[in-house]
Structure formats: C-alpha cells, structure tokens
Amino acid sequence: MHFLSLCLSVVSLVSSVRAVSTFSPVRPPALPLAVKSPYLSTWLSAGKDGGNGGYLAGQWPTFWFGQINGWAGQIRVDGSTYTWMGALTGTSTVNQTSYEYTSTSSVFTMRVGEMVEMKITFLSPITPSDLRRQSLIFSYLNVDVKSIDGKPHDIQVYSDISAEWVSGDRNAIAKWDYGVTNNGVAYHKVYRETQLLFSEINEQAEWGEWYWATDGDGMTYQSGPDVDVRAAFAKNGKLGNSNDNGYRAISTKWPVFAFSRDLGSVKTSASTLFSIGLAQDSAIHYSGKPGGMTVMPSLWKSYFSTATAALDFFHHDFSAAAALSKDLDSRIAKDSIAAAGQDYLTITSLTVRQVFAAVQLCGTPEDPYIFMKEISSNGNMNTVDVIFPAHPIFLYTNPELLKLLLKPIFEIQENGKYPNTFAMHDIGTHYPNATGHPDGKDEQMPLEECGNMVIMALAYAMKAKDDKYLSQHYPILKKWTTYLVQDALYPANQISTDDFAGALANQTNLALKGIIGIQAMAKISNRTAHPDDASNHSSIAQDYIRQWQTLGVAHNANPPRTTLSYGANETHGLLYNLYADRELGLNLVPQSVYDMQSTFYPTVKAKYGVPLDTRHTYTKADWELFTAAVASTSTRDMFHKALATWISETPTNRGFTDLFDTQTGDYPGITFIARPVMGGAFALLVLKEGL
Ligand SMILES: *[C@@H]1O[C@H](CO)[C@@H](O)[C@H](O)[C@H]1NC(C)=O
Ligand SMILES: *[C@@H]1O[C@H](CO)[C@@H](O)[C@H](O)[C@H]1NC(C)=O
Ligand SMILES: *[C@@H]1O[C@H](CO)[C@@H](O)[C@H](O)[C@H]1NC(C)=O
Ligand SMILES: *[C@@H]1O[C@H](CO)[C@@H](O)[C@H](O)[C@H]1NC(C)=O
Ligand SMILES: *[C@@H]1O[C@H](CO)[C@@H](O)[C@H](O)[C@H]1NC(C)=O
Ligand SMILES: *[C@@H]1O[C@H](CO)[C@@H](O)[C@H](O)[C@H]1NC(C)=O
C-alpha cells in the first residue's frame, strides 16, 4: 500500500509540471527528424542560438542549412484542434512530455489534456547490409494515439508539407499532383516546374520529385494555401479531397499538401503512418569511367521500376524497416555501453543518421558506388580526409560501404585522370558533380591523403578479409607510399585536414600519419606477396618513428607530450593520428607515447574538451574521439564526459558540429553542421571488435 501511494505521488508530481519535456539521453543541439540523404535532411533546432529547446510544436522544422522545411501537424480530439508540429497560429499546442533519440529514430511523447497521449516517431531507417532498402531516399513519420483516461475519444490526425522542400529558391514555381499507388498508398507528388538537373540552391536539390504519402481508412486530402487547408481541418476534422491547380511560386499563398485521417472513436489506441521522400532518376554526374562523363542513376532505380513502386514498397515496409533499424539501435547501444558507458552511447547514437545522410547509393547492384557530400564545410565529394574521420562507422556497420566510398577515388586516379604523384583530395568540388580534378588543382593535402588512402585500404581489407583488393590497387598504393617516404619525416609546409587552422611545416601529428602509412604499406606488401617491399617499407618506418620521437616530443615539458610542430616545445595538440597504429595492429609506436599523451591531455582540458592544438581554443569532436579511443581508460572517459556534456549544453542549434569552442561550447566563427566526420565516434568500437 505504501509503495503504491508513493508511486501515485510521483505520478502527480510529474503531471503537474507536464508542460516541460524530458530529453533522453540528453537534448541535442538539433533533433534529427527526416535525416536520410544530403537532400532529405530535416531537423528541429533546439540549442539556444535559435532553437526553442527541443519542442516539436511551436517552431518550424528546418533543412540542415537553416531554411524552413514547412511540415505541420494537427490533432482533433472530440472536436477541439491542437498543433503537434510546426509554428501554426490559431490553435493551442499539445504538451510535449518527452523526447528520446536512438541511432535511427526520434520519438516525441505528447499529451492532449488528460485524455489522449500521442507518440510521434520519426524513423529514418538504416540498413547497412541491405543496399536495396538503404538506397531509398525516404523517411517515416508514425503517429500513435491512445486514450489515457479510459474513455473513447473521437480523433482525427492531420499533417502537411509545404513546397519549401522542392527548392532552395522560394520564388521557384512548384507543380504538384495527387495519386494513389497500386497498393493503396495515397501521395502528393511535388516538384520544381523547371527542373535544374544536378543543381543546388541553398544546398537543396533543384531536381527530382518529392513524395508525401499515407494510407488507410478515413483518409482525406487537399492541396491549397496553407491557412485555408489547415483551417479546413481545424474546422471540419477532414479535408476536401481537392487539388489546387494554381501552380505557383513556393511563397505565393504558400501551397501545402495535406492529409487527414479520421481514426474514429478511439477506445484504446490507433495509429497512422506517413512517408516522405525524394525520387531522382539521375543522381550524380561522374568522371571516373574510362570514357567521358557518365550519369549515375540512384541505386533504387535498379530495384524498382518507378518512383511510385519504390514509394509503395517503402510505405508498406514500415514494420520490417523498423525492426531492422531497431536491431542496429540495439547493437550500437549494447556495444557502446559495454565499451565505455552511457556518455559514449549519447555520442555514438547521435551521429548515425547524420553520417548516413551525407552519403548516397548510386549505380547498379553489379556496379554500385557511394557518393558523399561534406555537407556544411563545402560541397566537396568523397573528400579523402572526410571519409577518413568517418571511416570507423563504416567498418563497424559494413566494411563494404567503405570500399564503395573509396571506389570512385581509386577509379579516377587509376584511369589516369589526376596528374599529381600524391593522392587526390576529393572527386569533385561540388556535389553532385564528380567531375574530378584533371588539372591537378584540387585542395591539396598530399601527406594527409596519401596516408589516409593507404591506411583505409588496409583497414577495409583486414576487416572484410579481402587481400585481393590490396593486390588490385597495389601499384597506386605503392606510388603514394613513395610520396610518404619522401615527405613524412620532415613534412613540407602544407595544410593538414584541419585546413581552417592554417598551413605549417613539420607538423608532428601529420608526420605520424605518414610514418604509420609507410608501416601500413609494409603490411600490405606482406599480405600481397611482396616481401622485399615489406621489409624495405618496414625498415624505413622503424627508422622514421625512432627519429620522430626525438623531433616531435617536448621531453623537458611538464608533463612531456608531443608538440604541434618539431622543436616548438611550448605547443601541443591532439595526436589523433596515433589511432591508426592501434587500429591496424601495427605496434609501430611504443606504448610509452600512448601513456605520455594519456597523462598529458587532462592537464589542458577546458570545460567542453581538449583544444585541437595551441593555436586556438576550439576542438574537433571527431579527432577527440580518435584520441580518446587509444587513451587510458580515465583519459578516454574524460573526453567522452566532456563531449556528452557539450551535446546537452551547447548553444549551437544545428546538426552535431564537429568544430566548437571548448570554453563557450559555441561555433568558433566557422559553422560546421551535420558533417559525416562524426562517424569517427565509432573509432573505439572498431578497436573493441578488432579488424
Ligand atoms: C498543457 O499543460 C498546461 C499546463 O498544465 C495546461 O494548462 C494545458 O491545458 C495543457 N494543454 C493541453 C493541450 O494538454
Ligand atoms: C553541376 O554542374 C552543372 C553543369 O556544369 C551546373 O549547372 C550545376 O550548377 C553544378 N551543380 C552544383 C551544385 O554546383
Ligand atoms: C624502398 O622504398 C622506397 C620508397 O618506395 C624506394 O625509394 C627505395 O628504392 C626502396 N628501396 C629498396 C631497396 O627497394
Ligand atoms: C623541419 O625540421 C627540421 C629539423 O628540426 C629543420 O631542419 C627544418 O628546417 C624544418 N623545416 C621547416 C620548413 O621549417
Ligand atoms: C609476412 O610476414 C610474415 C612474418 O614476418 C612472414 O612469415 C611471411 O612470409 C610474410 N609474407 C609475405 C607474403 O611476405
Ligand atoms: C625542445 O626540447 C628538446 C628536448 O626535449 C630540446 O632538445 C630542444 O632544444 C628544445 N627546442 C627548443 C627550440 O627549445
């Protein structure tokens, strides 16, 4: 009896403050809603630089770049209408009681008085080993309602999208159409009247067709001016089954595309499912094939004859896609907790949709490719030093994906379309134009990219047990290693991946990458029956690493640590390139270097992390996680705790930035948003599993 009354008092305490939401595991800077591809990437701002704290009702969802993607939700309970998504005027909002994220979903719980509870699930399914499902550029919105007062309630659910999804130019003319698929999925198809193939405006795609869909009994639909359509539902609890044929600019009497479902008298529970997605027949313009430019189809085109067939499959696949996504959620949760606890899971699970939404599957099942966009730093494609920080998540989820990301990089260079002796930086200056750099004038990071290519080729081959891959690419890997042998010990004045921090000669951490790359090539040589190359590369790497420990270490500092550059004894930085030595099992770098760094980092930790180096107070979250993965347990946990705290306290309000100030938690004047580099969160899990 006592126990029961205690429970009741806790419940009533909670319900008296129910207008305040809980956030689990924490409230991230932006809440992922439909986050599935470079062009399907819609978020809810939370951080105080512009977000409302993480409440779905009361502000508009935005594209990752910041502009609104109109997406509204209303519910009518016993004749009264409330808003559950978007900044609608004229109705009161439901009360959000909780928000929870996993690797693949965001779930909001809402209360409508003491009568009804809503569970609103945004699921962007991720199926790393099922390329057919993964190729679909679609995301789910599922709305569950249940009576919580034991009484039946008359419930209708409404949701619409605006034409803002179809172009980054609000003056662009939109067209639309309504239809029903063979298996009963009702859809609004919305698209730019003038298609601009392979073009972007404000980072949005200017070609392809958007689909917004639902199914089930009691469905009505309508397109028309936003205020009219939303008011029609609020008034009548249903829509007019009518299509507005006045095709016009996105911002002229804002056309919206709405569905309503009458769930009838709900005694226990009921649900309704929506799907949102983008269909582009042609996805990428690609220069790597032996001839000229080729047009790469979206991979889903090989599996489905039409976009509506793909939509039909996706919409009816909800339970299977949800189960597969849940498997991935559980695996990541279990492994992250076992590896380093809740702070680590808070980080890993926030990165997954962001990383997968930066890539797209293209080509055919016989000849597939993956293309990656840097997202916010610029539009560069398959940037080697962006794939490198991201690569642990691909090794962890499916190493084949890493191979497909590296494929166009090898192909362009092996087909003689890049003139330099070192490795290329990216396959094209702006997504989706993979036009390469036949003039050799890319953003050169020679040592960085040669090291990255050799290291990632070996990591993939070890994880996938695919030494044939190493034989196939041996000549070019050896060519890049020749560059490493020339440049790694005394790196010339050049930029590293941290290009925003400026160029510098003799960078200690960059040298280490090059030296580890040479030892990685020794291992590649060994695995491909080139014993002379193996012993040659190995003896060079051993010699270099011995010298590096004199050149790059401030032995007399207190405590000793590696420097930012040779001889600059007052400097320091994150020695994140050490990670590859452990990852590849090279044992090139003595344990004393690992121990020295683990002892050092806590002495320079600021509120939200350890600065990248002595030039600035900012840090890189991806490199912190590489560094943490090879640190002592207590230093590793220090990194994780500071980063998990940052996630919940940062004033930034966009997708997880990898660059932030360690003291204020804010952007340091450079705004990186939702970049795939955060796949580096999986560095520790790769070490735990082994290659
Ligand atoms: C939301 O909570 C407030 C405060 O408890 C209450 O006054 C209001 O009626 C609630 N609104 C809904 C739609 O439940
Ligand atoms: C891709 O190339 C085409 C043709 O040159 C150009 O019109 C388009 O703007 C480019 N796309 C981007 C995003 O730069
Ligand atoms: C060892 O490798 C380097 C760099 O690839 C090359 O310049 C050198 O000739 C090689 N030495 C031998 C003995 O093969
Ligand atoms: C790099 O370091 C070496 C050894 O300290 C020095 O001799 C050389 O001048 C440095 N290079 C540059 C470009 O500063
Ligand atoms: C690789 O190295 C191992 C151990 O040093 C050696 O036994 C083996 O013969 C080498 N394999 C090749 C192909 O060089
Ligand atoms: C840096 O420290 C090393 C010893 O760790 C010393 O040999 C070197 O002279 C110092 N360099 C400078 C510029 O003070």
Side-chain angles (χ1 to χ4, degrees):
M1 265 338 233
H2 236 93
F3 180 65
L4 183 64
S5 64
L6 182 69
C7 284
L8 286 173
S9 72
V10 169
V11 168
S12 65
L13 182 69
V14 168
S15 67
S16 70
V17 292
R18 70 186 178 282
V20 176
S21 179
T22 59
F23 292 88
S24 173
V26 298
R27 187 232 65 195
L31 286 42
L33 299 181
V35 177
K36 181 69 183 178
S37 88
Y39 300 130
L40 174 54
S41 183
T42 301
W43 302 69
L44 186 74
S45 279
K48 67 173 183 290
D49 278 356
N52 73 356
Y55 291 81
L56 186 61
Q59 73 175 340
W60 290 113
T62 55
F63 189 60
W64 70 258
F65 193 56
Q67 64 270 38
I68 290 169
N69 276 173
W71 204 359
Q74 301 183 92
I75 184 168
R76 209 160 174 268
V77 177
D78 302 329
S80 298
T81 305
Y82 309 85
T83 298
W84 53 266
M85 174 162 61
L88 302 187
T89 50
T91 63
S92 57
T93 61
V94 298
N95 283 326
Q96 181 174 325
T97 56
S98 74
Y99 166 78
E100 183 188 355
Y101 70 80
T102 66
S103 294
T104 61
S105 68
S106 285
V107 183
F108 296 85
T109 305
M110 310 285 196
R111 279 283 178 97
V112 187
E114 299 297 329
M115 306 171 288
V116 168
E117 185 177 272
M118 306 177 72
K119 205 171 262 301
I120 299 159
T121 301
F122 293 86
L123 170 67
S124 297
I126 297 176
T127 57
S129 300
D130 179 342
L131 298 193
R132 180 178 65 128
R133 285 194 167 91
Q134 189 60 34
S135 71
L136 291 164
I137 314 290
F138 281 98
S139 191
Y140 298 107
L141 164 57
N142 188 56
V143 181
D144 287 320
V145 296
K146 80 174 186 214
S147 169
I148 51 171
D149 61 2
K151 295 179 193 143
H153 294 286
D154 203 30
I155 299 180
Q156 294 88 37
V157 171
Y158 168 99
S159 189
D160 72 46
I161 64 163
S162 73
E164 284 156 305
W165 295 66
V166 310
S167 169
D169 173 6
R170 300 308 184 231
N171 295 316
I173 308 293
K175 286 189 81 172
W176 51 86
D177 223 340
Y178 172 80
V180 181
T181 67
N182 293 339
N183 293 312
V185 179
Y187 62 86
H188 291 284
K189 171 171 133 182
V190 192
Y191 51 100
R192 211 182 191 281
E193 179 182 52
T194 309
Q195 294 274 303
L196 300 177
L197 185 65
F198 303 139
S199 293
E200 295 181 354
I201 295 176
N202 290 323
E203 308 286 335
Q204 285 186 246
E206 299 298 309
W207 80 107
E209 287 90 38
W210 286 85
Y211 287 87
W212 168 236
T214 192
D215 68 338
D217 296 338
M219 190 278 293
T220 54
Y221 72 91
Q222 191 169 336
S223 55
D226 56 349
V227 283
D228 299 358
V229 176
R230 289 164 187 163
F233 172 80
K235 181 152 175 275
N236 308 318
K238 63 181 184 190
L239 299 169
N241 287 337
S242 57
N243 213 12
D244 177 341
N245 289 321
Y247 306 130
R248 57 188 181 270
I250 291 165
S251 59
T252 300
K253 287 191 288 167
W254 303 92
V256 297
F257 309 93
F259 290 111
S260 157
R261 276 288 302 284
D262 186 352
L263 301 175
S265 176
V266 177
K267 291 190 199 65
T268 50
S269 63
S271 67
T272 189
L273 176 70
F274 301 91
S275 297
I276 177 89
L278 172 63
Q280 293 169 328
D281 289 353
S282 302
I284 299 287
H285 210 193
Y286 180 56
S287 67
K289 297 287 190 192
M293 296 293 294
T294 47
V295 170
M296 282 273 167
S298 299
L299 184 62
W300 62 263
K301 289 284 294 171
S302 295
Y303 299 112
F304 302 98
S305 53
T306 60
T308 48
L311 169 65
D312 206 279
F313 169 81
F314 180 83
H315 193 78
H316 290 298
D317 193 45
F318 179 59
S319 54
L324 289 168
S325 298
K326 205 166 181 180
D327 289 347
L328 182 65
D329 289 350
S330 308
R331 180 182 167 216
I332 291 170
K334 192 166 143 273
D335 290 354
S336 300
I337 293 280
Q342 178 59 51
D343 284 337
Y344 185 50
L345 174 59
T346 296
I347 300 162
T348 52
S349 58
L350 186 60
T351 65
V352 184
R353 276 171 285 177
Q354 168 166 330
V355 180
F356 279 88
V359 302
Q360 183 171 4
L361 282 158
C362 296
T364 61
E366 299 71 38
D367 189 20
Y369 287 78
I370 298 181
F371 294 100
M372 176 186 270
K373 187 178 177 184
E374 281 194 29
I375 307 295
S376 55
S377 35
N378 57 40
N380 284 187
M381 292 184 68
N382 296 52
T383 307
V384 177
D385 61 289
V386 170
I387 298 173
F388 180 76
H391 86 275
I393 198 173
F394 299 113
L395 290 181
Y396 175 81
T397 54
N398 178 6
E400 188 72 14
L401 303 177
L402 178 58
K403 178 180 164 184
L404 297 182
L405 273 162
L406 297 179
K407 180 176 169 182
I409 303 171
F410 276 115
E411 198 164 63
I412 288 174
Q413 294 174 94
E414 287 171 339
N415 283 333
K417 298 187 173 193
Y418 183 70
N420 300 323
T421 56
F422 47 80
M424 183 167 73
H425 171 266
D426 61 77
I427 64 167
T429 302
H430 212 295
Y431 200 91
N433 293 323
T435 42
H437 297 280
D439 59 0
K441 293 186 178 149
D442 50 340
E443 187 192 0
Q444 294 172 3
M445 299 179 184
L447 187 48
E448 184 82 57
E449 311 305 25
C450 288
N452 286 340
M453 289 304 292
V454 175
I455 290 166
M456 288 193 288
L458 178 57
Y460 158 73
M462 289 173 71
K463 188 75 180 173
K465 301 191 169 41
D466 184 5
D467 286 345
K468 274 213 310 245
Y469 179 79
L470 299 175
S471 298
Q472 186 195 338
H473 297 298
Y474 195 81
I476 199 161
L477 292 168
K478 192 174 170 185
K479 179 172 115 175
W480 291 332
T481 305
T482 304
Y483 187 85
L484 294 178
V485 168
Q486 285 162 14
D487 201 54
L489 186 58
Y490 294 108
N493 187 12
Q494 62 192 290
I495 51 173
S496 75
T497 181
D498 306 311
D499 50 357
F500 45 83
L504 192 64
N506 283 333
Q507 295 183 59
T508 304
N509 182 51
L510 186 58
L512 181 61
K513 170 164 288 168
I515 299 168
I516 289 172
I518 298 166
Q519 183 65 25
M521 190 63 196
K523 195 157 181 165
I524 290 170
S525 307
N526 180 285
R527 292 167 81 98
T528 55
H530 295 91
D532 294 346
D533 284 353
S535 62
N536 180 33
H537 291 133
S538 186
S539 64
I540 293 170
Q542 303 286 348
D543 174 40
Y544 282 10
I545 200 67
R546 201 175 31 77
Q547 296 188 59
W548 176 88
Q549 286 175 78
T550 304
L551 292 164
V553 177
H555 293 280
N556 297 334
N558 184 21
R561 72 285 171 124
T562 56
T563 58
L564 173 61
S565 61
Y566 295 167
N569 291 342
E570 303 307 310
T571 65
H572 55 77
L574 295 175
L575 193 70
Y576 54 82
N577 284 326
L578 189 54
Y579 174 75
D581 182 52
R582 257 299 132 75
E583 177 190 27
L584 301 172
L586 300 178
N587 296 317
L588 176 70
V589 186
Q591 182 61 36
S592 58
V593 173
Y594 290 82
D595 295 343
M596 172 177 72
Q597 294 302 103
S598 290
T599 305
F600 168 69
Y601 295 127
T603 67
V604 289
K605 178 192 165 276
K607 185 168 183 197
Y608 294 119
V610 175
L612 177 63
D613 60 52
T614 30
R615 288 173 289 184
H616 304 93
T617 56
Y618 57 59
T619 195
K620 290 280 277 107
D622 50 344
W623 298 141
E624 284 198 301
L625 292 162
F626 269 58
T627 307
V630 295
S632 66
T633 304
S634 63
T635 297
R636 179 196 76 194
D637 291 348
M638 173 200 79
F639 275 108
H640 291 166
K641 187 169 204 295
L643 186 56
T645 304
W646 174 85
I647 290 173
S648 67
E649 294 181 2
T650 173
T652 68
N653 69 327
R654 303 279 181 78
F656 197 160
T657 177
D658 49 297
L659 179 69
F660 60 85
D661 188 277
T662 54
Q663 295 167 359
T664 65
D666 213 339
Y667 295 115
I670 306 165
T671 311
F672 283 178
I673 303 163
R675 298 202 319 148
V677 298
M678 287 315 304
F682 286 74
L684 178 63
L685 293 185
V686 168
L687 295 189
K688 294 281 174 190
E689 278 195 348
L691 290 188

